[in-house]
Every structure is written in C-alpha cells, then in structure tokens.
Amino acid sequence: MSVTAPPTVLRRRTGIAAGAVLLVLAATGCSGLGRTAVGPVQYKTEEDKVVSVNSPSVKGCHRMAPAGANEVANETLIDMILYRTRDCSGGGTTYVATTFTDVNSPRSLPWRSYSFVH
C-alpha cells in the first residue's frame, strides 16, 4: 500500500522549494563579490600617456598614475566619480556617467583617483 500526499501539500512544498532557490540566487547575484565595471576606464596623464584599465572592481578607490589625469573616458557600464586626491576623499569631485568623457581645465588640478557609483 502506498501513501501519497494530497495535491495541495505537494504544490506547497514545490512552491517553498522554488522560493528558496530563487532567494539563494537573488542573494548570490546581489552580493557584489567580484563584481566589475564591465568595460575600460581610459585616461590621459599630463604627459599625454594613455592608460587603460579594463573592467576594474566596482568596490574601493582606484588610484591613477602618480602624475594624475587630465582626461578620463568612462567606457564601463557604471557611473564613476573622479577625485583630486589619491584616496578618493575631499571636495572638487567630478561625476562621469557611463560612456561619457570628461576633460579637465588646464588651470585645474589633475584627477588622482576614482570610484564607482553602485
């Protein structure tokens, strides 16, 4: 003699299992572990040297070349903020949206670091 659960109990168990799987997938996708800003950040130093960083991490502060940059192209999929300090602090920041380029005024201090808006 075999015993089977009523259809409503089976549906409930299936729904709970599916919900648990979706919750795990959503938590994994939103964790930010290893997330990168897909695409390159390119900048030109004051010596006209072009530097390209491909898919940098979205977390943390990213230092530029010691001389800083006077032109930055954000070709990533995430907006970024440029700073005049080496540690992503202080005022005088510049917001650069995805796929935009910003050119520094000749009389301004160079940008020395950047971070991503996430």
Side-chain angles (χ1 to χ4, degrees), residues 9-106:
V9 173
L10 290 176
R11 277 190 293 238
R12 187 176 309 140
R13 287 181 185 167
T14 303
I16 291 170
V21 168
L22 288 174
L23 183 61
V24 169
L25 290 175
T28 303
C30 295
S31 68
L33 295 175
R35 280 188 43 204
T36 62
V38 178
V41 171
Q42 296 180 338
Y43 60 92
K44 189 183 292 187
T45 66
E46 291 185 331
E47 297 90 26
D48 288 332
K49 178 182 175 187
V50 176
V51 177
S52 183
V53 180
N54 196 27
S55 297
S57 171
V58 297
K59 291 184 174 185
C61 179
H62 303 276
R63 289 183 173 182
M64 295 181 173
N70 56 16
E71 182 178 332
V72 178
N74 180 10
E75 297 297 328
T76 70
L77 300 177
I78 301 176
D79 296 352
M80 65 190 302
I81 299 173
L82 304 174
Y83 300 86
R84 304 217 184 269
T85 61
R86 305 259 310 142
D87 62 354
C88 296
S89 67
T93 61
T94 302
Y95 188 94
V96 182
T98 182
T99 69
F100 276 79
T101 299
D102 198 85
V103 179
N104 205 355
S105 166

